[in-house]
């Protein structure tokens, strides 16, 4: 495992570049590596990833010195462990609506004493190998501390209930960043399909203001992320327009 390259960039007030994917593509990881991207983000809430595909993605990305993060589909210990044990170093929890849910997310991502993350034998714990740990001059205790310092935890606010509970949610100091869920929030506010509606924009401003006052970063801070599928569609569409008759 490597130090979290995205976190290192953020801490140095530098921009981190991340490629976001919704399905396995080792070619994209190779391209991103050659273009000196810092990370790969897996949208596992709306994407399609098997445990084996996450393993291959992490193996490729980490071997090329990139950090892997993921938005999980469910905030459960078993689901999050599937990603962390593969080597993912950033977890976004969708549909967080209460302080309890935010606290559970942090518990599942962090080793004791900061959390309740289960110790596995995968890449996320150097395969449990004493020899690999000693290469870093670490043991299991100090590796757990290192891992806690190299993971970023993000909550996604996507409902009226979450906004109403936001002051309480933001008391969870183990949460690093806050993200919007513009489409789901628009629907919950009564404006489905209108993420740019003034009421939605105002809700986003409220979320951002309260989050920053609580000392949290927003997802877009110092990170430039490209959705690879969208970029490919745009490139194909532009090619067709430029070469059509």
């Amino acid at each position: 495992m490597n130090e979290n390259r995205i976190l290192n960039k953020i801490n140095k007030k530098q921009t981190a570049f991340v490629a976001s994917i919704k399905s396995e593509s080792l070619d994209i990881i190779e391209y991103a590596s050659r273009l000196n991207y810092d990370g790969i983000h897996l949208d596992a809430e709306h994407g399609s990833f098997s445990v084996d595909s996450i393993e291959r993605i992490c193996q490729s990305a980490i071997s090329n010195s990139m950090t892997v993060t993921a938005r999980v589909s469910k905030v459960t210990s078993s689901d999050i462990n599937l990603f962390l044990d593969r080597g993912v170093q950033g977890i976004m929890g969708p549909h967080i609506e209460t302080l309890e849910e935010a606290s559970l997310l942090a518990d599942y991502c962090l080793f004791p004493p900061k959390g309740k993350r289960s110790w596995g034998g995968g890449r996320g714990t150097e395969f449990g190998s004493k020899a690999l740990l000693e290469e870093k001059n670490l043991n299991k205790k100090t590796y757990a501390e290192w891992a806690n310092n190299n993971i970023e935890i993000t909550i996604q606010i996507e409902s009226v209930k979450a906004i109403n509970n936001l002051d309480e949610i933001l008391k969870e100091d183990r949460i690093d960043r806050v993200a919007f869920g513009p489409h789901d929030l628009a629907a919950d506010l009564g404006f489905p399909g209108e993420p740019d509606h003034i009421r939605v924009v105002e809700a986003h401003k409220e979320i951002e203001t309260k989050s920053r006052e609580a000392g949290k970063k927003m997802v877009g801070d110092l990170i430039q992320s490209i959705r690879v599928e969208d970029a490919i569609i745009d490139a194909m569409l532009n090619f067709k327009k430029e070469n059509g008759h």
Side-chain angles (χ1 to χ4, degrees):
M1 290 288 290
N2 309 315
E3 288 190 352
N4 189 315
R5 184 167 162 179
I6 298 171
L7 267 181
N8 283 347
K9 281 286 190 75
I10 291 172
N11 291 336
K12 293 176 182 177
K13 300 295 190 292
Q14 299 174 349
T15 300
F17 287 88
V18 177
S20 176
I21 58 178
K22 289 186 177 179
S23 60
E24 180 182 1
S25 176
L26 300 184
D27 287 342
I28 293 297
I29 295 171
E30 184 177 3
Y31 304 155
S33 173
R34 293 191 179 192
L35 294 171
N36 200 30
Y37 271 60
D38 300 290
I40 300 294
H41 179 72
L42 314 182
D43 183 358
E45 183 188 15
H46 296 290
S48 175
F49 298 97
S50 66
V51 178
D52 287 344
S53 69
I54 300 167
E55 183 78 40
R56 288 189 291 269
I57 289 167
C58 288
Q59 184 177 39
S60 178
I62 293 169
S63 294
N64 284 286
S65 300
M66 289 188 292
T67 295
V68 184
T69 64
R71 174 165 67 168
V72 297
S73 60
K74 293 183 293 184
V75 179
T76 68
S77 177
S78 57
D79 280 270
I80 290 173
N81 263 336
L82 289 178
F83 289 87
L84 298 182
D85 284 348
R86 311 280 80 73
V88 169
Q89 291 178 297
I91 296 290
M92 178 186 289
H95 305 288
I96 298 299
E97 295 187 319
T98 66
L99 173 59
E100 180 183 12
E101 291 173 352
S103 296
L104 284 174
L105 172 64
D107 278 343
Y108 300 151
C109 290
L110 297 168
F111 286 117
K114 288 188 175 181
K116 299 177 181 178
R117 176 178 168 183
S118 174
W119 183 276
R123 187 175 295 100
T125 50
E126 297 291 3
F127 305 98
S129 166
K130 182 179 178 181
L132 291 177
L133 291 172
E134 288 176 345
E135 282 185 6
K136 283 187 166 74
N137 294 317
L138 298 172
N139 54 41
K140 290 184 178 181
K141 179 182 178 181
T142 52
Y143 184 84
E145 295 170 355
W146 178 92
N148 285 348
N149 290 330
N150 277 277
I151 189 166
E152 190 163 33
I153 306 170
T154 303
I155 57 171
Q156 195 164 14
I157 303 299
E158 332 185 47
S159 69
V160 173
K161 180 179 178 180
I163 294 175
N164 291 339
N165 290 330
L166 189 57
D167 290 334
E168 285 297 308
I169 293 171
L170 293 172
K171 291 178 180 178
E172 177 48 77
D173 60 7
R174 295 173 295 174
I175 299 300
D176 302 298
R177 299 192 303 165
V178 178
F180 305 130
H183 290 277
D184 287 345
L185 181 55
D188 205 45
L189 284 166
F191 307 103
E194 299 182 73
D196 296 322
H197 192 282
I198 185 62
R199 288 278 302 280
V200 183
V201 173
E202 289 172 349
H204 286 173
K205 289 180 180 178
E206 179 184 354
I207 295 167
E208 180 173 359
T209 297
K210 288 187 175 182
S211 297
R212 292 197 187 283
E213 287 175 349
K216 310 297 185 187
K217 294 183 176 67
M218 302 304 293
V219 157
D221 294 349
L222 295 171
I223 293 180
Q224 291 294 325
S225 180
I226 184 171
R227 295 182 178 180
V228 172
E229 293 82 0
D230 292 346
I232 291 172
I233 291 172
D234 288 344
M236 292 176 69
L237 179 60
N238 289 334
F239 177 81
K240 188 175 181 182
K241 288 179 178 178
E242 292 169 0
N243 294 280
H245 297 286

